[in-house]
Amino acid sequence: MVILVTGASGQLGQALQFIAGKYSGIQFHFCSSSDLDITKKQAIEDVFKATNPNFCVNAAAYTAVDKAESEPEKAHLINVDGAKNLAETCKFFNTTLIHVSTDFVFDGYKNLPYTEIDHTNPRGIYGKTKREGEQKIAENLIEHFIIRTSWLYSQFGNNFMKTMLRLAQDRDSLSVVNDQIGTPTNAIDLAEVIIKVIFSNSKNYGIYHFSNEGSASWYDFAKKIFEINQVNIDLKPILTSEFPTLAQRPKYSVLNKSKIKTEFKITIDTWEDSLVRT
Ligand SMILES: NC(=O)c1ccc[n+]([C@@H]2O[C@H](COP(=O)([O-])OP(=O)(O)OC[C@H]3O[C@@H](n4cnc5c(N)ncnc54)[C@H](OP(=O)(O)O)[C@@H]3O)[C@@H](O)[C@H]2O)c1
């Protein structure tokens, strides 16, 4: 079994590298953006020719949600054209593509967990390009799994948990948004699920939702991070309107995980339990 991982230096890419040692039956090829730029079709074909992967896990993406508003072309190039390049190359080489997408494809006007068949309506450039990337994959390749996830954190890369702990080193108080509801997801849990999908032999291709269980606001998430790490700080809940950002975010983006739990026979930890393990 050969697995090619793109975007290997990112948060999810590093989480996959962290767990890879447990799977001695798999030959992993981890490619960072400097090893393989997914916007370059010929470069992808060269790497596929050299490695002949059974599965390609696309952990590469343009993920700067606010910056995307002023760099729409770059976000499109990576999240749409890059995804299409991978899908076309996977088709040619008979490779199954596992692609990662986001809760930001939803507008957040629902107040029940989003299912895979719910209407998408991204609010910003990042979400729009991620949604278009999903569509390009579905149009070009049957053998694909798209896993939408939310609020990724881990000891790797840049993420909310690390930002909170860094800010707390220099400040006595912090204000965090309390009216956006979603679910934090441990990147290691997502990496393990990706491996389960690979080992499952499932041919039920398409979109799946995965996050940890439960729901929280960013304020709840920050509160738990500080509690677990025994950080004493004055944490204040604020409204989104008090913390304007360039990109609009969904107010509610909890994902319904019934489909992935049934298809791959998995149980999922609550976000609080998983955070304790980080
Ligand atoms: N982070 C979250 O909260 C979150 C939430 C929901 C969904 N997701 C999705 O989960 C996936 C993984 O996210 P993440 O947190 O691991 O993101 P990340 O830490 O930003 O990693 C993305 C990686 O993609 C690489 N990359 C960028 N442009 C590339 C290109 N043209 N060719 C190859 N690689 C390129 C980056 O490399 P450089 O650093 O060298 O540019 C980086 O290593 C993404 O699809 C994201 O949309 C993330």
Side-chain angles (χ1 to χ4, degrees):
M1 167 85 75
V2 180
I3 301 179
L4 174 70
V5 180
T6 62
S9 303
Q11 179 175 202
L12 175 61
Q14 288 187 63
L16 281 160
Q17 296 198 53
F18 185 77
I19 65 165
K22 283 202 298 189
Y23 299 97
S24 49
I26 302 180
Q27 194 186 335
F28 284 95
H29 294 278
F30 288 103
C31 295
S32 69
S33 59
S34 51
D35 302 321
L36 175 59
D37 179 344
I38 64 164
T39 69
K40 306 271 189 299
K41 186 92 185 285
Q42 186 59 53
I44 301 175
E45 286 174 13
D46 291 346
V47 170
F48 271 61
K49 235 176 254 161
T51 57
N52 204 13
N54 305 96
F55 285 85
C56 172
V57 179
N58 183 27
Y62 181 103
T63 58
V65 176
D66 290 311
K67 211 170 168 197
E69 298 297 312
S70 56
E71 287 188 341
E73 294 86 7
K74 189 171 177 193
H76 190 278
L77 187 66
I78 298 168
N79 291 345
V80 183
D81 298 348
K84 181 169 182 266
N85 288 340
L86 286 172
E88 287 174 351
T89 313
C90 280
K91 186 172 184 188
F92 189 79
F93 283 87
N94 220 355
T95 302
T96 301
L97 178 61
I98 300 188
H99 176 77
V100 182
S101 191
T102 171
D103 55 331
F104 279 29
V105 299
F106 296 114
D107 58 23
Y109 294 128
K110 213 182 157 187
N111 51 17
L112 278 175
Y114 280 98
T115 70
E116 290 79 355
I117 54 171
D118 273 325
H119 175 66
T120 56
N121 183 30
R123 304 192 68 178
I125 300 291
Y126 166 71
K128 283 191 178 117
T129 59
K130 291 296 291 185
R131 179 66 193 117
E132 223 183 300
E134 294 180 354
Q135 286 162 341
K136 292 289 176 204
I137 290 170
E139 281 163 23
N140 286 284
L141 178 72
I142 293 170
E143 295 83 2
H144 71 267
F145 295 96
I146 292 168
I147 305 179
R148 291 189 188 133
T149 191
S150 62
W151 298 22
L152 273 191
Y153 71 89
S154 64
Q155 56 183 291
F156 313 110
N158 297 317
N159 58 68
F160 180 81
M161 179 187 78
K162 289 173 75 175
T163 304
M164 287 298 111
L165 293 173
R166 193 186 64 242
L167 291 174
Q169 286 178 352
D170 311 324
R171 299 194 193 178
D172 300 326
S173 74
L174 262 178
S175 298
V176 178
V177 167
N178 197 31
D179 59 350
Q180 286 172 32
I181 309 296
T183 312
T185 304
N186 189 327
I188 294 283
D189 292 358
L190 174 60
E192 293 282 11
V193 162
I194 288 172
I195 302 296
K196 282 217 170 90
V197 171
I198 289 171
F199 276 130
S200 73
N201 261 325
S202 169
K203 304 274 184 273
N204 286 331
Y205 303 117
I207 298 178
Y208 289 85
H209 287 176
F210 178 80
S211 69
N212 282 113
E213 293 282 17
S215 63
S217 69
W218 291 107
Y219 169 82
D220 299 328
F221 188 18
K223 197 163 166 232
K224 199 75 190 170
I225 291 166
F226 292 138
E227 189 185 304
I228 290 168
N229 290 279
Q230 295 171 353
V231 174
N232 235 331
I233 190 163
D234 177 20
L235 189 65
K236 297 185 176 82
I238 56 166
L239 299 171
T240 302
S241 54
E242 295 173 84
F243 186 71
T245 51
L246 286 174
Q248 290 197 16
R249 289 154 166 79
K251 262 184 108 60
Y252 179 91
S253 63
V254 177
L255 300 173
N256 178 317
K257 278 91 57 186
S258 300
K259 186 179 172 192
I260 202 164
K261 286 195 278 193
T262 306
E263 176 64 23
F264 302 105
K265 298 174 186 59
I266 56 167
T267 54
I268 306 177
D269 282 349
T270 64
W271 69 266
E272 294 98 326
D273 284 351
S274 204
L275 184 59
V276 171
R277 284 194 280 103
T278 316

